[in-house]
Amino acid sequence: MPPAEAVPAPALAAQENWARETLEKLAFANLKEQQSDRRWKLGLRLAWMGIVIFVIWQVFSFGSPATSPSFPHTALVTIVGEISSDTEASAENVMASMRTALEDPGSRALVLLINSPGGSPVQAGLINDEITRLRALHNKPIYAVVEESCASAAYYIAAATDQIFVDKASLVGSIGVLMDGFGFTGLMDKLGVERRLMTAGENKGFLDPFSPQTGPQRVHAQAMLDQIHKQFIDVVKKGRGDRLKDSPGLFSGLFWSGQQAVDLGLADSLGSVDGVARDVVKAPDVIDYTQRENVAERLVKRFGVAVGEGSVRLLNKPAVLR
């Protein structure tokens, strides 16, 4: 075989330069990628640190009134929307707001500004009891002022106050209890669908909408609702006393306009927050002590909901005052 031809020196130098340049480019590219990755990780850490600091700041600032007044004023706490343990009108939030308001030495009275269709009898009962306790503890009057509506559980709360003021067009009353749900047994029979529900305890599934409701189960549920209704009536009679007029439909679940509520003794007079502060409390400056859910708490709640989406939910709601 003929000997292999020798590679010319210039070509060999060019190949070496090309290889060196290629290695340098690869090294620089790898270094740049590492630097970019480090910057990304650093930016992500700084972002998370900022979120954590923001959340901590929001949590520690939650519930603090805008000012800490010591001059004479009327304290205000709002109860808006459904009264439930997971809303801003929960007993926990409302009671904490009332305590802060009445503990301030400058507050001359507390006004509860109510705009609610009702909600949980348990949450309303807790707030009702706390109103009675705080009024005796601080010896300050507590008034209710109704905006659009003060129905059912909201009226359960208002009944504990010293006086109730309404607008002539407000909706007031609805002193009753309900438990709602649906039954699909007839539809299932028509579709030929068989419900396979297994329970331990003959009445464990009586709120299941896909199972028939027996007579004894209906009697039991009705007795429970009647008992809660009686508790509601007793609270209203205790709070309103002889101001209530003798009306056959007063505790039937009906609701009335603000003017009608005054005529029936469910409310005392027409009035607004500013009017009550100026003419009744004699302290026209109004300070809002309402504890409101902040951004951090909403983020935490949404995160909790996302994590718990796979959990089993009850098909029927408990009894509500609505």
Side-chain angles (χ1 to χ4, degrees):
M1 293 178 62
E5 297 182 1
V7 180
L12 182 61
Q15 291 178 357
E16 291 177 351
N17 289 337
W18 176 83
R20 187 182 303 108
E21 291 175 357
T22 301
L23 289 175
E24 288 177 353
K25 289 179 180 179
L26 290 174
F28 279 123
N30 185 54
L31 179 61
K32 186 178 294 186
E33 184 176 352
Q34 290 179 354
Q35 289 175 342
S36 177
D37 186 55
R38 283 197 295 269
R39 283 195 296 267
W40 169 253
K41 288 181 179 179
L42 179 61
L44 189 61
R45 289 171 182 170
L46 290 175
W48 275 111
M49 185 180 297
I51 291 174
V52 170
I53 293 173
F54 175 73
V55 169
I56 292 174
W57 174 74
Q58 286 284 324
V59 169
F60 278 99
S61 64
F62 170 64
S64 300
T67 60
S68 297
S70 58
F71 58 87
H73 65 274
T74 299
L76 177 71
V77 171
T78 62
I79 302 176
V80 178
E82 183 180 2
I83 299 166
S84 174
S85 61
D86 57 356
T87 64
E88 289 192 4
S90 68
E92 180 182 5
N93 288 349
V94 173
M95 292 191 301
S97 302
M98 292 193 304
R99 285 192 290 266
T100 303
L102 292 171
E103 286 169 1
D104 192 298
S107 65
R108 295 295 179 261
L110 170 62
V111 172
L112 299 179
L113 179 60
I114 301 176
N115 185 8
S116 170
S120 164
V122 174
Q123 297 292 305
L126 291 172
I127 298 172
N128 182 289
D129 293 341
E130 186 68 356
I131 290 173
T132 302
R133 188 188 74 86
L134 290 174
R135 181 171 49 223
L137 177 64
H138 296 284
N139 195 28
K140 296 179 181 180
I142 301 177
Y143 304 108
V145 173
V146 179
E147 287 191 323
E148 302 293 336
S149 64
C150 179
S152 212
Y155 190 78
Y156 196 116
I157 294 171
T161 62
D162 293 283
Q163 293 185 66
I164 301 175
F165 297 87
V166 297
D167 182 84
K168 58 182 178 295
S170 300
L171 296 180
V172 182
S174 188
I175 302 172
V177 189
L178 65 83
M179 177 185 290
D180 59 350
F182 296 93
F184 299 99
T185 53
L187 178 61
M188 291 172 62
D189 292 339
K190 291 181 179 180
L191 296 176
V193 178
E194 179 188 359
R195 172 64 165 164
R196 295 176 179 175
L197 175 67
M198 300 178 65
T199 64
E202 60 185 72
N203 292 308
K204 184 61 178 177
F206 89 94
L207 289 179
D208 176 41
F210 302 104
S211 299
Q213 189 180 59
T214 67
Q217 290 170 348
R218 180 180 293 275
V219 169
H220 176 78
Q222 188 60 54
M224 181 178 63
L225 294 176
D226 291 341
Q227 185 181 59
I228 298 174
H229 189 204
K230 185 179 183 305
Q231 294 169 358
F232 193 175
I233 294 172
D234 291 342
V235 164
V236 173
K237 287 182 176 180
K238 178 182 177 182
R240 299 300 298 169
D242 57 9
R243 288 175 289 185
L244 290 174
K245 302 298 188 294
D246 186 12
S247 174
L250 202 60
F251 304 121
S252 67
L254 288 174
F255 53 85
W256 294 270
S257 69
Q259 184 61 65
Q260 290 174 317
V262 173
D263 296 338
L264 291 170
L266 292 171
D268 295 282
S269 180
L270 303 181
S272 63
V273 170
D274 290 337
V276 171
R278 181 183 61 250
D279 302 327
V280 180
V281 183
K282 307 298 183 182
D285 292 312
V286 179
I287 303 298
D288 190 351
Y289 287 83
T290 308
Q291 292 192 358
R292 293 182 172 87
E293 189 181 67
N294 55 31
V295 176
E297 291 197 324
R298 285 198 297 270
L299 290 174
V300 171
K301 283 187 177 180
R302 288 181 182 178
F303 178 75
V305 170
V307 170
E309 279 183 349
S311 61
V312 178
R313 297 178 181 271
L314 294 176
L315 294 175
N316 291 275
K317 297 180 180 178
V320 294
L321 301 180
R322 188 175 290 161

